[in-house]
Amino acid sequence: MTTTLETRLNEVDLGAVGGLVEGITREPAKAHTTWAADVRWTGGFRSEARVRDFAPISSDEPAGLGGADGAPNPVEQLLAALGNCLAVGYAANATVAGIAIQELNIRLDGDIDLRAFLGLAEGHAGFSAIRAVVDLVADADPAAIEALHRRVAQSSPVGHTLTAPIAVSITAA
Amino acid sequence: MTTTLETRLNEVDLGAVGGLVEGITREPAKAHTTWAADVRWTGGFRSEARVRDFAPISSDEPAGLGGADGAPNPVEQLLAALGNCLAVGYAANATVAGIAIQELNIRLDGDIDLRAFLGLAEGHAGFSAIRAVVDLVADADPAAIEALHRRVAQSSPVGHTLTAPIAVSITAA
């Protein structure tokens, strides 16, 4: 029986990230990744999204929108995905910068005009704006914290997917 | 003891949706909604997103990206949110059109070049493209099914959030 003492900053495995960076530097095609999810409708406004072998992400709508209110709805899930993505960005970039994170909480909200979804108006049915307020407790000088915030905003995969217009094709099987 | 026989098409509560439409028609400000999520970092690349009082949506990264592979990652969660949103759109619009859905499965995937996230390149860190393939089994003539597909694509809140450039502000608390 062996005991391994690990003292990785922020519990982040920088070695794995470094290995990925080396692999992509040697073979750029490795940077091209594809991600997937499978959604199954289960009645009413309920559905389940399966990702790999994980427990499904359940979805429903509040009663005021005609649902049974059994789970977060899809636009709330989108905010959750953004916050979770920012958390990875803070953990990764703080670790590279040698900053220990003590606490990190992110509050997300965003506005939707329901008229387009309900067929009462043409046009944009999605969020008009999304706000993320980042409460980071970490031992570092203000300039390093400022650089960390900037770096995370500049490199968030979900953040960039939202701020850029993305081609979404919806086709029948 | 009373027994209520419900035969709501697709188990969708159109009355609730109709009530919302009426309320918004009378008082347009009711269409303006705000949605929220709270994310807490839990170490490494792990975090949890809380929406209202529901169980948190857990997040992690695969081992190859430096995570502990304990949950879907944020970009997979984004695809899940899109699929769950399309499922609501199909259920709502099929019900309005009088179409009974027998089965609905949606396969989503999308491509990401990891270089921007990893700091190996400037530019877009998000999905370059997202595809949703909709496998709908329903009793309706082809024109009605075609109109349903079109209507859902035209009114999806998550879909529109992805296809339009959204203002995302990230600020320190």
Side-chain angles (χ1 to χ4, degrees), chain A residues 100-166:
Chain A
I101 298 175
Q102 282 151 28
E103 274 185 56
L104 172 63
N105 290 283
I106 306 170
R107 167 79 178 178
L108 306 111
D109 66 14
D111 308 311
I112 294 182
D113 182 326
L114 292 178
R115 284 175 293 185
F117 173 66
L118 292 171
L120 299 173
E122 292 294 307
H124 182 65
F127 281 107
S128 54
I130 294 174
R131 297 164 293 273
V133 178
V134 180
D135 190 358
L136 172 68
V137 181
D139 266 338
D141 64 75
I145 295 287
E146 179 53 41
L148 175 58
H149 284 302
R150 205 165 49 238
R151 175 78 196 119
V152 172
Q154 280 168 354
S155 63
S156 166
V158 173
H160 282 198
T161 300
L162 298 175
T163 56
I166 306 299

Side-chain angles (χ1 to χ4, degrees), chain A residues 18-110:
Chain A
L20 178 64
V21 166
E22 276 175 36
I24 288 174
T25 304
R26 272 199 313 271
E27 198 178 332
K30 283 192 174 170
H32 300 288
T33 56
T34 298
W35 305 87
D38 282 286
V39 165
R40 187 172 67 93
W41 174 71
T42 57
F45 287 163
R46 300 180 306 282
S47 58
E48 292 186 342
R50 286 183 183 271
V51 171
R52 293 181 275 147
D53 292 328
F54 295 112
I57 299 172
S58 292
S59 186
D60 198 354
E61 292 287 349
L65 284 178
D69 205 17
N73 82 353
V75 299
E76 291 168 324
Q77 293 163 38
L78 183 75
L79 296 175
L82 174 59
N84 286 329
C85 189
L86 294 174
V88 175
Y90 278 95
N93 288 286
T95 305
V96 168
I99 299 171
I101 298 175
Q102 282 151 28
E103 274 185 56
L104 172 63
N105 290 283
I106 306 170
R107 167 79 178 178
L108 306 111
D109 66 14

Side-chain angles (χ1 to χ4, degrees), chain A residues 11 38 47 84 107 134 169 171 173, chain B residues 38 47 84 107 132 134 171 173:
Chain A
E11 302 174 45
D38 282 286
S47 58
N84 286 329
R107 167 79 178 178
V134 180
S169 76
T171 54
Chain B
D38 281 286
S47 59
N84 285 329
R107 168 77 179 179
V134 179
T171 55

Side-chain angles (χ1 to χ4, degrees), chain B:
Chain B
M1 193 174 160
T2 60
T3 304
T4 305
L5 184 66
E6 289 202 13
T7 55
R8 292 192 302 203
L9 184 60
N10 298 321
E11 300 173 48
V12 167
D13 184 357
L14 271 191
V17 179
L20 178 64
V21 167
E22 276 176 35
I24 288 173
T25 304
R26 273 198 313 273
E27 197 178 333
K30 281 193 174 168
H32 300 288
T33 58
T34 298
W35 305 88
D38 281 286
V39 166
R40 187 171 68 92
W41 175 71
T42 57
F45 288 161
R46 301 180 305 284
S47 59
E48 292 186 342
R50 284 182 186 272
V51 171
R52 294 181 274 147
D53 294 327
F54 294 112
I57 300 172
S58 293
S59 186
D60 198 354
E61 292 287 351
L65 284 177
D69 206 18
N73 83 352
V75 300
E76 291 168 325
Q77 293 164 39
L78 181 77
L79 297 175
L82 173 60
N84 285 329
C85 189
L86 293 174
V88 175
Y90 278 95
N93 288 287
T95 305
V96 169
I99 298 171
I101 298 176
Q102 283 152 24
E103 273 185 57
L104 172 63
N105 290 283
I106 306 170
R107 168 77 179 179
L108 305 111
D109 66 15
D111 308 311
I112 293 182
D113 183 326
L114 292 178
R115 283 175 294 184
F117 173 67
L118 293 170
L120 299 173
E122 292 293 308
H124 183 64
F127 280 108
S128 54
I130 294 174
R131 298 164 292 273
V133 178
V134 179
D135 190 359
L136 171 68
V137 181
D139 266 337
D141 64 75
I145 295 286
E146 179 52 42
L148 175 59
H149 284 302
R150 205 166 47 239
R151 176 78 195 120
V152 173
Q154 279 168 354
S155 63
S156 165
V158 174
H160 282 197
T161 300
L162 299 175
T163 55
I166 306 299
V168 178
S169 76
I170 305 172
T171 55

